[in-house]
Amino acid sequence: MRPRHDDPEIPDDVVGRDLDKVARNELKTLNKENAEEVARHLVMAGRLIEENPELAHLHATSASRRAGRIGVVRETLAITAYATGDYALALRELRTFRRISGSNEQLALMIDSERGMGRPERALEVGRSVERSTLSVPSQVAVAIAMSGARLDLGQADAALTELEIPQLNPDVAYSYSPELFDAYAEVLAELGQDEESALWRARAERADLALNGEPDDTIEVFEEEDDGSVQSEED
């Protein structure tokens, strides 16, 4: 028997339409009433993941109990489980998500879940199990960061730096993933005792973050990916 689970409350103003269109499309195999409730729980999970991951996980669990065969539902359950530190559950749900969807886009989270379970060698094996060119560029970057972290777990700082030396490590342009990539590179440089170079990349990470999310900087170019896969640039 499954353990008792009480659905967390959802504010009346939260509606299924608040869920993004791609995710809503996955719920079309459900009846209308169930799809609405699942969507509302997914919306709440997304809203709460940063400030209250435990409550977000309860919403994801409620969605899973209503629609356990839907990829986005199992993906959300995995993400919230990871956020609460339940890496074993996260890994199990990520495997289920991959089996349902055929997608490897959450490979980085699988690597980090293995790391969270204290298995960096296994994390590296998981990362090498998928050809990175088959992933979207943001996912490729996320995998590089996760693999670098696994190398650091093993005390392999030089290899950790190599993992991050990818084409996207370009200080002159900024994508959504650039601040995290630059910051990870700075962290490894610091581990190697290259403090001056590390400080330079920390500054680049901050500048990229400002260009993307805050006050613009006139020395960096921001790029956004269009829906058709093309790239649009915007001079700051």
Side-chain angles (χ1 to χ4, degrees):
M1 294 180 62
R2 293 192 298 182
R4 176 181 173 82
H5 172 80
D6 295 322
D7 290 338
E9 293 185 7
I10 304 175
D12 292 339
D13 62 341
V14 174
V15 295
R17 290 191 305 275
D18 294 334
L19 189 66
D20 74 82
K21 185 177 180 180
V22 174
R24 288 205 315 272
N25 284 340
E26 289 194 44
L27 305 182
K28 286 184 175 179
T29 57
L30 306 174
N31 66 57
K32 185 176 181 180
E33 180 181 349
N34 195 30
E36 176 68 14
E37 286 305 299
V38 170
R40 295 176 74 217
H41 279 299
L42 293 180
V43 170
M44 291 302 298
R47 290 184 179 181
L48 293 166
I49 187 67
E50 296 292 339
E51 63 183 64
N52 192 337
E54 289 79 13
L55 184 53
H57 185 60
L58 289 178
H59 281 287
T61 300
S62 292
S64 179
R65 288 178 173 239
R66 288 174 171 270
R69 296 184 179 182
I70 304 295
V72 68
V73 173
R74 302 305 283 264
E75 181 183 27
T76 303
L77 186 59
I79 292 170
T80 58
Y82 180 87
T84 64
D86 192 341
Y87 304 116
L89 177 59
L91 193 56
R92 185 169 72 244
E93 292 302 322
L94 287 166
R95 289 169 177 160
T96 301
F97 162 69
R98 182 166 65 176
R99 185 171 65 252
I100 292 173
S101 66
S103 170
N104 285 306
E105 288 295 299
Q106 290 291 356
L107 182 64
L109 200 59
M110 295 182 74
I111 296 169
D112 276 337
S113 294
E114 293 285 3
R115 292 179 60 207
M117 295 176 69
R119 303 190 302 214
E121 296 94 346
R122 176 58 184 159
L124 293 175
E125 291 176 11
V126 171
R128 290 191 293 261
S129 68
V130 174
E131 175 57 50
R132 293 193 203 179
S133 63
T134 64
L135 304 174
S136 66
V137 173
S139 291
Q140 290 180 37
V141 174
V143 167
I145 294 171
M147 292 289 278
S148 178
R151 295 288 189 185
L152 285 180
D153 293 343
L154 292 168
Q156 302 172 358
D158 287 324
L161 195 69
T162 300
E163 294 282 0
L164 297 172
E165 290 174 340
I166 56 179
Q168 291 78 24
L169 190 72
N170 184 343
D172 297 324
V173 296
Y175 293 89
S176 60
Y177 49 74
S178 298
E180 186 177 2
L181 176 59
F182 297 170
D183 195 62
Y185 197 63
E187 180 181 350
V188 181
L189 288 167
E191 186 73 18
L192 289 166
Q194 300 180 34
D195 295 337
E196 186 174 334
E197 189 72 7
S198 175
L200 177 62
W201 281 95
R202 293 276 188 208
R204 287 169 173 168
E206 292 174 3
R207 191 169 78 245
D209 185 60
L210 282 173
L212 290 161
N213 304 308
E215 297 178 6
D217 185 290
D218 61 3
T219 63
I220 195 167
E221 191 171 5
V222 176
F223 282 77
E224 297 179 354
E225 293 188 7
E226 298 292 294
D227 291 339
D228 61 3
S230 62
V231 174
Q232 180 182 31
S233 66
E234 177 182 334
E235 291 284 353
D236 289 327

